[in-house]
Each structure stands twice: as C-alpha cells, then as structure tokens.
Amino acid sequence: MQIQINGIVKEKPDGLTVQDLLESEEVERPEMVSVELNDHILFRIEFRERKLQEGDRVEFIYLMGGGADRTAGDLGSAVALRRRPESKEWHDAEEASF
Amino acid sequence: MQAVRKWSLATELVHPVVPYDPAAGGTALPVNLSVSFGYDSSEELAAAFSGERPGYVYARIQNPTIELFERHFAEIEHSVASVTTASGMAAIAAIVLAVAAPGDEIVAGTSLFGGTFVLLEELFGRYGVRTRFVEPTDPDRWRRAITDRTRLLFVEAIGNPKLDVPDIGALAELAAVHGVPLAVDATAATPALIRPGELGASLVIHSLTKYVGGHGAGLGGIVVDTGVYDWTAGRVEIPPEFLERYRRLAFAAFLRLRIQQHFGGCLAPFHAFLFTLGLETLALRMDQHCRNALALAQTLSAHPKVAEVRYPGLGTHPDHETARRQFGDRYGGLLTLRLGSQERCFRFMNRLRLAKRLANLGDVRTLVIHPASTFCREASPERAEAMGVSEDLVRVSVGIEAFEDLKSDFEQALEVL
C-alpha cells in the first residue's frame, strides 16, 4: 500500500501499525514523537493497535527544539502585525517594524 | 476515531503511557536539571534549533523531565498535548498571550479567583484586551457577550470561592457555534471529577500547586490542549509557520516554542518531579477530600451558629444537579461558611487547632481563609458580590484528615461565637 509520510509517498506492507511504522522509518526519539494521522493526533495507546490503510497521511511532530528559527519568528511577527488593519496603532507598529 | 481506553483514572495515574525511565527501569521521573543540551557538531545543534531534527536545546524551550511530565498529563486528560508553566496564573496568562491581540476580547465567568480577575481585567486590559464578565451558569449571557472580536471563553469548573458550577457542555456547544476556544480552569475539580475535553472544552488549565501536588510544595501550572478545537480553521490566529509545521499541535507548539520560550514562565524540572509524586495518589486523595467535604458541609449546615453553608454537594446548592451530572456525584473539597461578620469569622478561624489559616487550596491539610480580607481584597463591592464574596464568608479547603477529628475541631471553634 502507499501512504504519505511527512509529505512523501512511500510503499509500505499491508497491515502495518503506527508502531511498526515508527520502527521501520527508524524515527528518532520515538518516545517523544507525536503522530498525526489524517489530520488527527493519535493517542499513544493507539500506536500498537492502529493499522494503517492505503492513502493514509502520517506526520511525525516534535515539540522540542524546533520553531526557534528566525524564519518562523519573522513570519509570526509579520502576521501578528498585519492582522488588524483597522487599528491605527497597528499601522504605526507595522511601519516602525518594517 | 476515539481511542479505546482500558484503564480507569487511578490506574492511569500510576502507569504512565510513556515510561519515565525505560533505560534503567526506574519508576520515578528522572530529574534532569540541565539548562542546555550539547551536540557533537555545530551542524547538529543548528538542526535541533531549527527543528529539522528532534532534540533538546535549552530548558526554557523544552527539557526531558518536563516533556515526560507533559506527556503523562496529556494522557491523563485524554488529550493531545499539554504545556507546563511556572504557576497556574502563568498558565492563564500564556493562553491569553497566545490567542489575543490588542482589540480582541475574552468572555469570562464572573466568579473567578481574585487573581485571575485582576489578570484579565486590569493587566490584560492595559494591553488592549478586553474581558466581558458574565454570569457563568447562564449560557444565554455568554451568547450575548460574544462579538466578532471574541477569541476565548474562560470559566472555572468550580468557581472559587463562589463554588458555582457552570454547564461545561452547554458552553462548549456555544464555543463551537462561534468558532472560539473554551478554556476551563479545572483546578478545583481535577481530572478525578471532570475531564472538560470530554464535554467539548478546547483547553484545560490546572494550578498544579493545588490538588495535583497536594503537598503544598512547589508552584506549577499546566495548559492542556484537548484536541477538540481546530486551530487551522477557527477564529484564533496562530502564525502560519506553526500551523504548517505543527498542524493539529500548532497551539501547543506556539505555546511551548514561542510564548513559553520568550515570556519565560517555565516550570522547574524538580517541581515536575514533585507533581508526579502527587499525581500518583490524586484519585485516592480526591475520594477522601470529597467525602470529608460533604460530611463537613452536612454537619455545619445543621449547626445553629452557621448562617449558611455553600457546597455543590448539598441539595440546597443552586447548581447541585449540574454538579451531580458533571462530576459523577462527587463535589470537590471546597466549601464556604457565612458566620455573620468579619469579626466572627476571625474569632472562629483563630480558634481552629487543626485547620491552617493560609492562602492555598487542595492541600492534604484542611485550610481556611477569609476571602474578603485576602485574595479578594482588591475587588469593588459590586465585583465582590458577583464573585460570591461577603465580609462574613470563610472558605474551607477540606483536607484528608480523619473526619471525626475535623468535625471536633470545627465544633470546638464554633463554640467561641
């Protein structure tokens, strides 16, 4: 069967559980990974029981160090400043920031 | 698809789904006090910083002890993620910082802890975030207070010290209709009485300092994302970089990797360890807190020197039916007494031998406090009334002592009136 893992389509054997997938993909720090399956976060207790199916989309997510990069910071700030065009104060802030 | 849960809370509390210490087989949470984490190469450190590879960088962002505790707590709440904070107040502040910008609004119940009221009205008010306060048990008042600028509904599962009990399911429905998250401060109820996520709440807050610890040692707080709210599609604007990278965990990631990282209100790893010790006995302790509180409320209701007893477990409490349904016929460890005047309250409290006069709740010991002269002293008379606070009110946080000893302590103290 074909499943999508972190955006990449891969061929995997039928009957694979989420736990099997973590092992076959040699996921780093598996005890700390969160798994999103088709837009829903799985509970840990589901890893060994949940069998994957053709077309499933799986994302491995960590809340450890990532998100600290400058690109993310700049994007976040720009969005926050742009979101209130009706407010005079925010226009001022935007002009001062850019 | 909802996972099939095999264990009851008492079992979940003592068997973390992610074992604390698989390498050595230890059952206690290893305390890692490291502030920062080294790598063999600069490239690896850079990869950990950018999130290309999983790894710890700096304890203000994440730490192995804290992460294990957060995973355990999320599972206990049957939720997708949790983020710890330095205190319960820091947990509330972190949520508001994450969801609201100047011009945005919050709708909150009137019967909040005094400190929460000051935080929302006075402090966030200074930064242009307005909170509209409504009667928490009337969903229609909430409906009328929601505007297109509302970014959060906030309520306490058991109002402190009013001890009113809002209908969490009704508020969750309202929140879903308007696309706003509902945050429930469940400190006074604990997961032993309610998992707000199962009733549709988006976020759950606990002051870990209270019942979760139970020992009164160490401050801490936690925000739980129940997984109910779709952060990609609601009114709350999470920066798109977080939505893209962390998807359904975007809020938890924003809280952990942006708000906590840069505002810095983090839980100390040693305190996380202390809270794991408390968590293990939470179900047992709550059984005893609830039993003692109900028995004390019944005893004091019949006492001629007590003008009024308020406890959700009494049939006379206006929200008794909601509490019975929501909490599974248990009602927590808080009750209040009215004794006629502040002077009478003080005389009674000063005479207590077992109960301690101090500003905390959820401790294993019975605690008493006079709200009007302590944590609600900054409230105006109108606000105090809405918070259920009068000059003659004593709040009791009923401990886990033998009931007969508590009964005798309260009865001998009432003799001075």
Side-chain angles (χ1 to χ4, degrees):
Chain A
M1 65 176 172
Q2 287 194 327
I3 58 175
Q4 189 175 306
I5 304 166
N6 286 359
I8 299 166
V9 175
K10 292 190 178 180
E11 188 69 33
K12 291 287 174 185
D14 289 348
L16 203 69
T17 66
V18 172
Q19 184 65 36
D20 295 335
L21 182 66
L22 289 177
E23 289 163 16
S24 74
E25 287 291 303
E26 297 181 337
V27 167
E28 288 186 82
R29 299 181 188 263
E31 74 283 6
M32 291 305 179
V33 74
S34 292
V35 178
E36 185 186 86
L37 174 62
N38 302 333
D39 299 324
H40 289 280
I41 300 295
L42 295 180
F43 295 114
R44 280 258 148 194
I45 60 166
E46 294 179 276
F47 285 12
R48 289 188 184 282
E49 298 165 4
R50 190 64 180 263
K51 288 190 174 167
L52 295 166
Q53 297 178 338
E54 175 76 28
D56 275 346
R57 288 171 288 112
V58 180
E59 296 280 337
F60 300 129
I61 304 172
Y62 298 89
L63 301 183
M64 298 169 95
D69 60 300
R70 275 183 50 77
T71 311
D74 290 344
L75 271 174
S77 305
V79 169
L81 290 168
R82 276 202 296 270
R83 57 192 289 241
R84 306 250 165 255
E86 72 276 19
S87 158
K88 174 78 166 54
E89 289 75 15
W90 281 102
H91 278 303
D92 290 344
E94 191 168 6
E95 285 161 19
S97 293
F98 287 98
Chain B
M1 188 182 82
Q2 185 64 37
V4 179
R5 298 274 173 184
K6 292 176 180 168
W7 315 117
S8 62
L9 177 71
T11 307
E12 290 178 337
L13 289 168
V14 297
H15 293 286
V17 177
V18 178
Y20 287 151
D21 184 15
T27 54
L29 178 66
V31 180
N32 187 328
L33 296 177
S34 291
V35 168
S36 51
F37 302 87
Y39 291 84
D40 289 341
S41 69
S42 303
E43 288 79 3
E44 286 174 275
L45 177 59
F49 248 97
S50 71
E52 286 169 41
R53 288 188 57 187
Y56 301 103
V57 173
Y58 193 75
R60 189 157 30 75
I61 305 172
Q62 190 53 290
N63 160 290
T65 300
I66 295 293
E67 185 162 27
L68 280 165
F69 179 77
E70 290 175 346
R71 287 206 166 269
H72 183 36
F73 207 94
E75 292 288 340
I76 287 166
E77 285 280 0
H78 298 180
S79 293
V80 297
S82 73
V83 176
T84 51
T85 55
S87 68
M89 292 303 301
I92 299 168
I95 290 176
V96 177
L97 289 166
V99 303
D104 285 342
E105 295 180 356
I106 295 166
V107 183
T110 44
S111 55
L112 296 176
F113 167 58
T116 307
F117 175 76
V118 172
L119 175 70
L120 294 179
E121 179 164 90
E122 182 188 321
L123 296 178
F124 277 114
R126 283 166 62 100
Y127 304 111
V129 177
R130 177 185 174 185
T131 300
R132 297 173 185 267
F133 293 95
V134 296
E135 161 56 42
T137 58
D138 182 355
D140 204 45
R141 299 276 181 97
W142 290 81
R143 184 177 296 109
R144 294 206 298 271
I146 294 172
T147 71
D148 60 357
R149 290 182 166 247
T150 304
R151 294 293 178 271
L152 181 72
L153 308 186
F154 179 89
V155 74
E156 292 182 1
I158 300 175
N160 172 26
K162 193 173 184 184
L163 308 185
D164 50 355
V165 180
D167 184 335
I168 302 297
L171 296 183
E173 274 181 38
L174 195 60
V177 166
H178 291 275
V180 292
L182 168 67
V184 176
D185 184 336
T187 297
T190 82
L193 268 62
I194 187 173
R195 288 186 180 97
E198 293 178 344
L199 299 176
S202 325
L203 299 170
V204 183
I205 299 156
H206 292 282
S207 167
L208 301 171
T209 316
K210 311 299 190 300
Y211 289 103
V212 169
H215 34 53
L219 287 172
I222 199 161
V223 178
V224 179
D225 182 346
T226 64
V228 167
Y229 189 79
D230 183 356
W231 302 98
T232 65
R235 282 196 200 187
V236 173
E237 296 176 50
I238 302 295
E241 170 70 12
F242 281 85
L243 291 173
E244 190 180 325
R245 181 181 287 186
Y246 300 101
R247 306 170 64 87
R248 296 290 296 210
L249 292 181
F251 178 79
F254 187 49
L255 213 54
R256 161 76 29 235
L257 306 174
R258 182 68 76 220
I259 301 293
Q260 285 298 86
Q261 178 184 356
H262 294 294
F263 283 95
C266 304
L267 181 69
F270 185 70
H271 290 189
F273 167 75
L274 293 176
F275 294 131
T276 61
L277 299 184
L279 262 183
E280 292 179 342
T281 58
L282 179 67
L284 269 179
R285 284 185 287 111
M286 285 309 290
D287 283 346
Q288 180 76 349
H289 282 297
C290 293
R291 257 198 311 273
N292 275 355
L294 179 61
L296 193 61
Q298 288 166 337
T299 300
L300 296 175
S301 294
H303 198 288
K305 290 182 178 169
V306 178
E308 184 187 310
V309 177
R310 197 172 173 95
Y311 182 64
L314 296 177
T316 51
H317 190 287
D319 306 324
H320 175 67
E321 188 50 35
T322 306
R324 190 192 58 74
R325 178 168 43 82
Q326 229 161 235
F327 302 146
D329 205 19
R330 295 190 304 161
Y331 306 93
L334 298 179
L335 60 86
T336 58
L337 314 175
R338 293 186 73 174
L339 297 176
S341 69
Q342 174 171 324
E343 186 272 332
R344 284 167 65 85
C345 291
F346 278 21
R347 261 201 292 150
F348 160 73
M349 291 166 66
N350 291 346
R351 182 68 177 264
L352 287 164
R353 292 170 185 158
L354 285 177
K356 305 285 183 202
R357 291 152 293 273
L358 57 81
N360 193 16
L361 62 86
D363 195 293
V364 290
R365 287 153 283 266
T366 295
L367 316 173
V368 293
I369 195 163
H370 179 252
S373 62
T374 55
F375 64 89
C376 292
R377 74 188 185 288
E378 294 172 64
S380 66
E382 301 76 34
R383 179 61 60 192
E385 188 182 347
M387 294 162 91
V389 174
S390 54
E391 286 292 322
D392 70 341
L393 188 84
V394 177
R395 187 192 72 190
V396 184
S397 173
V398 183
I400 62 170
E401 300 95 335
F403 174 68
E404 284 309 312
D405 296 336
L406 279 183
K407 178 170 179 278
S408 121
D409 192 29
F410 276 68
E411 284 177 342
Q412 66 80 26
L414 284 166
E415 282 173 16
V416 299
L417 302 184

